[in-house]
Amino acid sequence: MALAPPLCHLLAAPPPSTSAAADAAHDHAGALAPHRRASPLRRRGRLFLACRVPAAAPSARGVAAEAAAGRPTVLVTEKLGDAGLELLRRFANVDCAYELTAEELRAKVSLVDALVVRSATRVTREVFEAARGRLRVVGRAGVGIDNVDLQAATEAGCLVVNAPTANTVAAAEHAIALLAAMARNVAQADASLKAGKWQRNKYVGVSLVGKTLAIMGFGKVGSEVARRAKGLGMDIISHDPYAPVDRARAIGVDLVSFDEAISTADFISLHMPLTPSTAKLFDDETFANMKKGVRIINVARGGVVDEDALLRALDNGTVSQAALDVFTEEPPPKDSKLVHHEHVTVTPHLGASTSEAQEGVALEIAEAVLGALKGELAATAVNAPMVPAEVLSELSPYVVLAEKLGRLVVQLVAGGSGIKGVKIGYSSSRDPDDLDTRVLRAMVTKGIIEPISSAFVNIVNADYVAKQRGLRISEERILLDGSPEIPIDSIQVHLANVESKFAGALSDEGDIRVEGEVKDGKPHLTLVGPFSVDVSLEGNLILCRQVDQPGIIGKVGSILGKMNVNVNFMSVGRTAPGKQAIMAIGVDEEPEKEALKLIGDIPSVEEFVFIKL
Ligand SMILES: NC(=O)c1ccc[n+]([C@@H]2O[C@H](COP(=O)([O-])OP(=O)(O)OC[C@H]3O[C@@H](n4cnc5c(N)ncnc54)[C@H](O)[C@@H]3O)[C@@H](O)[C@H]2O)c1
Ligand SMILES: O=C(O)[C@H](O)COP(=O)(O)O
């Protein structure tokens, strides 16, 4: 039975770097391995549908085969839970190198296929540039991806995945711990007693019951904080412009405006991501609009607060206390006035730091990274479309067809005529809403761009690269009356306003047009311009236009035979007997120039083109 083709090329890396540094690297677990063109995970030629990496250890034979074929290399730059590390080590060489300087990170990154970080590693544009195209996946073992330059990752075609759920409860519990500790001066009283003092009057706290808590950002952590704070008898309001009202209502929380939230709350807990629009959202003006004596908890990101403004608000009494787990700069400067302020309780970014959360996060990220290295699109992809595994499985033969059609059509363009508009048509009996074509569009783009540039294109950067090159890609669905079980009957690719080096490929409208279908799981070319053909899109292709008459097939076949070129497929399409015909010939080897010249010299052959698929 034919195996489904792998989807590795969806996330394919560019050709390997041949740098001396890469060659010199060591090949054993815990050290950097030299780059190999295809990792065993990518080479198996199987479609990996299960998102989970099998829990059982691979067989000894499997391990040996993988070792022989070369394993991907994963660099881990921050402490990761053991279970995740073990899982990574089963399928990859793992280099754990903590507390790297930016320069050390840049030096190592071109030697690895994946990088796993937490919040302390800054994965900047310079890091992606230093990777020189080898890095295929960045795994953020946690939620916040503000330390990863997503735009640079996308431009580099590097997938970024995170582990968004495993530390939610830990972060929510830490927010509650800080809320209670702050209200009862636990940290200050502890330090005082340890310093030999007994200050019962100084550390009188405030009660939580009946107080209003405003949760700023009603996402995963925010909603878990709300549930827990309700149990403490607090009244909860929340501000989140994007949260569904129903979800908030279901746990008894009112979503209110920003101004209402900050002006009515006794406690404010921050749970939004750090983005350009939330950076320093809590500034002098915001603090001035808060209820006098408000208490603030920040377990989200230091950067959402203007820390100088918070210090002023603490000093003038607008904010009576703050509990901070996160800081604009981490670690904060040793002499930070905020950290040393007597009304501020601090922890060193411990929100996710429970053993349970760290094991969960490590496993979650290891699975996502290994899946991505195998060519799967992770469910937690941050900079790529999330296409469910079953959709990918179904579309996998069409993925190959889409790329081949792209490669074919671009080689029909006459040199010098720039490609601007690409139209992709999908003939299908399926409701357009049930047909996710993003992967196919990316693969047509890859097929068109890669043969004519040094860019490498994958599902992560396809739209970006197309835009950069001024390529307008439009899609059209052609609804057929048929069984919706087959996702796609045919894919058409049209290039508008270009000259062709093979006039036979021009449609009546003057576009270069090719069409293909999947037959027995294999990509077939079924239409060139107005000519119907049927040739498997494998190896190389010769397209030949001639006047339809007996003997031409034999002449071309014998020229190729004499030159030792194996013909694997041949198909002739014609407009009418005795009129124009197109011969599509699949060949295993690239014919010598001489053979091509001899074909061109056959009197009735009007034009021909050789295409590498
Ligand atoms: N301290 C820690 O160790 C720790 C641990 C986990 C998460 N975090 C941080 O907590 C934050 C929340 O994490 P999460 O998993 O709940 O993320 P999430 O994506 O589930 O929730 C974030 C919520 O913020 C909302 N939001 C976005 N912009 C907003 C704005 N301007 N005003 C109000 N709400 C806005 C979003 O709509 C979303 O509902 C992130 O910053 C994350 O990095 C910190
Ligand atoms: O965004 C997160 O997941 C938290 O801030 C945790 O960060 P950490 O992995 O560095 O603890």
Side-chain angles (χ1 to χ4, degrees):
M1 195 186 79
L3 292 170
L7 292 175
C8 306
H9 44 321
L10 293 179
L11 269 177
S17 145
T18 50
S19 76
D23 296 341
H26 304 294
D27 185 5
H28 57 82
L32 297 176
H35 180 74
R36 303 249 163 68
R37 184 171 278 275
S39 76
L41 299 169
R42 300 170 66 210
R43 272 198 185 175
R44 284 180 194 151
R46 275 177 37 202
L47 179 63
F48 289 84
L49 295 179
C51 281
R52 306 241 145 209
V53 171
S59 69
R61 221 176 65 188
V63 171
E66 283 176 4
R71 291 149 64 87
T73 299
V74 180
L75 174 62
V76 179
T77 59
E78 290 175 70
K79 180 94 184 72
L80 198 65
D82 289 341
L85 277 178
E86 276 162 32
L87 182 54
L88 286 174
R89 285 192 178 116
R90 291 225 306 270
F91 296 93
N93 297 317
V94 180
D95 180 21
C96 292
Y98 305 149
E99 296 183 16
L100 294 175
T101 62
E103 199 182 357
E104 287 165 341
L105 175 60
R106 288 199 301 274
K108 272 180 179 276
V109 79
S110 67
L111 306 175
V112 302
D113 304 286
L115 170 65
V116 175
V117 301
R118 285 175 61 186
S119 60
T121 309
R122 306 219 70 75
V123 193
T124 57
R125 178 171 289 279
E126 290 73 34
V127 172
F128 289 105
E129 282 166 5
R132 285 180 289 148
R134 176 163 172 185
L135 188 66
R136 277 184 284 147
V137 190
V138 172
R140 160 52 169 125
V143 186
I145 28 92
D146 44 288
N147 53 322
V148 181
D149 186 332
L150 284 185
Q151 180 60 28
T154 303
E155 289 174 25
C158 180
L159 184 73
V160 180
V161 288
N162 71 349
T165 56
N167 67 23
T168 299
V169 166
E173 287 178 351
H174 198 62
I176 295 292
L178 287 177
L179 168 80
M182 172 175 65
R184 302 305 294 269
N185 301 304
V186 172
Q188 292 84 348
D190 174 79
S192 154
L193 184 52
K194 283 176 176 151
K197 299 175 193 162
W198 186 258
Q199 298 177 292
R200 296 185 65 213
N201 292 337
K202 184 170 182 187
Y203 295 119
V204 173
V206 290
S207 187
L208 300 177
V209 71
K211 297 283 165 51
T212 299
L213 168 66
I215 291 183
M216 309 302 282
F218 197 73
K220 294 184 291 298
V221 179
S223 53
E224 289 303 322
V225 171
R227 278 180 221 280
R228 284 157 179 76
K230 271 205 139 322
L232 298 171
M234 301 185 84
D235 295 328
I236 319 292
I237 53 174
S238 177
H239 171 70
D240 186 327
Y242 317 107
V245 177
D246 297 355
R247 197 161 54 84
R249 243 184 234 140
I251 47 178
V253 174
D254 284 335
L255 287 177
V256 299
S257 69
F258 184 83
D259 289 344
E260 186 178 344
I262 59 162
S263 61
T264 53
D266 303 297
F267 291 81
I268 298 177
S269 193
L270 311 185
H271 299 290
M272 68 257 286
L274 175 60
T275 64
S277 61
T278 60
K280 295 197 177 175
L281 188 60
F282 295 85
D283 57 9
D284 284 310
E285 193 187 336
T286 315
F287 289 123
N289 289 330
M290 289 180 182
K291 195 169 170 180
K292 180 109 177 132
V294 65
R295 291 175 167 80
I296 292 177
I297 305 112
N298 188 3
V299 182
R301 281 294 178 266
V304 303
V305 174
D306 176 340
E307 290 176 340
D308 293 335
L310 175 58
L311 195 60
R312 285 188 283 275
L314 281 158
D315 285 341
N316 68 27
T318 309
V319 174
S320 63
Q321 285 185 302
L324 309 173
D325 182 47
V326 284
F327 305 87
T328 303
E329 188 186 328
E330 292 187 359
K334 288 214 164 55
D335 60 352
S336 159
K337 287 192 177 146
L338 201 53
V339 171
H340 293 283
H341 200 285
E342 65 167 326
H343 296 143
V344 176
T345 302
V346 286
T347 49
H349 202 147
L350 290 182
S353 296
T354 63
S355 30
E356 294 86 349
Q358 282 313 306
E359 283 304 293
V361 162
L363 268 179
E364 201 177 344
I365 205 63
E367 288 176 357
V369 166
L370 290 171
L373 285 171
K374 285 187 257 169
E376 296 168 358
L377 286 182
T380 60
V382 178
N383 62 340
M386 294 180 201
V387 185
E390 55 283 7
V391 174
L392 277 182
S393 159
E394 187 180 46
L395 290 184
S396 74
Y398 303 93
V399 163
V400 181
L401 172 65
E403 185 180 350
K404 297 276 187 190
L405 289 175
R407 293 185 80 83
L408 166 63
V409 80
V410 75
Q411 291 177 72
L412 293 171
V413 175
S417 57
I419 308 168
K420 285 273 172 277
V422 181
K423 191 166 91 188
I424 310 170
Y426 309 96
S427 298
S428 168
S429 309
R430 203 171 267 189
D431 188 299
D433 287 345
D434 294 334
L435 187 62
D436 187 340
T437 58
R438 291 171 298 173
V439 176
L440 303 175
R441 183 177 73 225
M443 289 301 113
V444 172
T445 308
K446 177 180 171 68
I448 290 176
I449 291 178
E450 283 194 341
I452 55 166
S453 76
S454 58
F456 85 97
V457 182
N458 63 16
I459 180 113
V460 176
N461 67 358
D463 286 344
Y464 172 80
V465 177
K467 201 168 163 206
Q468 286 297 100
R469 301 183 67 87
L471 211 62
R472 278 188 319 279
I473 305 205
S474 59
E475 291 177 292
E476 184 188 46
R477 313 287 172 89
I478 299 130
L479 202 55
L480 305 177
D481 280 339
S483 160
E485 270 179 31
I486 298 169
I488 295 171
D489 282 55
S490 65
I491 301 179
Q492 302 92 39
V493 181
H494 302 247
L495 298 185
N497 304 320
V498 281
E499 283 172 29
S500 178
K501 61 166 87 144
F502 187 74
L506 293 175
S507 68
D508 295 343
E509 294 79 38
D511 295 353
I512 298 181
R513 177 186 177 186
V514 295
E515 180 172 313
E517 293 174 26
V518 170
K519 296 188 176 184
D520 294 329
K522 293 266 163 38
H524 277 237
L525 175 66
T526 52
L527 198 75
V528 177
F531 298 96
S532 293
V533 292
D534 188 359
V535 59
S536 167
L537 283 169
E538 285 169 298
N540 305 308
L541 187 67
I542 297 172
L543 291 176
C544 193
R545 184 168 61 91
Q546 73 272 356
V547 178
D548 182 38
Q549 56 181 248
I552 306 263
I553 297 178
K555 279 185 193 154
V556 174
S558 87
I559 291 171
L560 292 172
K562 271 189 206 138
M563 297 286 178
N564 265 338
V565 176
N566 192 39
V567 173
N568 59 38
F569 228 98
M570 189 180 265
S571 160
V572 179
R574 59 188 187 183
T575 45
K579 294 264 162 53
Q580 294 279 300
I582 272 196
M583 192 163 29
I585 309 163
V587 287
D588 290 339
E589 298 83 19
E590 179 171 354
E592 303 276 333
K593 278 207 177 96
E594 198 191 331
L596 293 174
K597 185 175 176 313
L598 288 173
I599 294 173
D601 287 345
I602 299 172
S604 44
V605 167
E606 298 190 339
E607 59 173 351
F608 74 97
V609 63
F610 172 72
I611 284 156
K612 279 186 180 179
L613 297 168

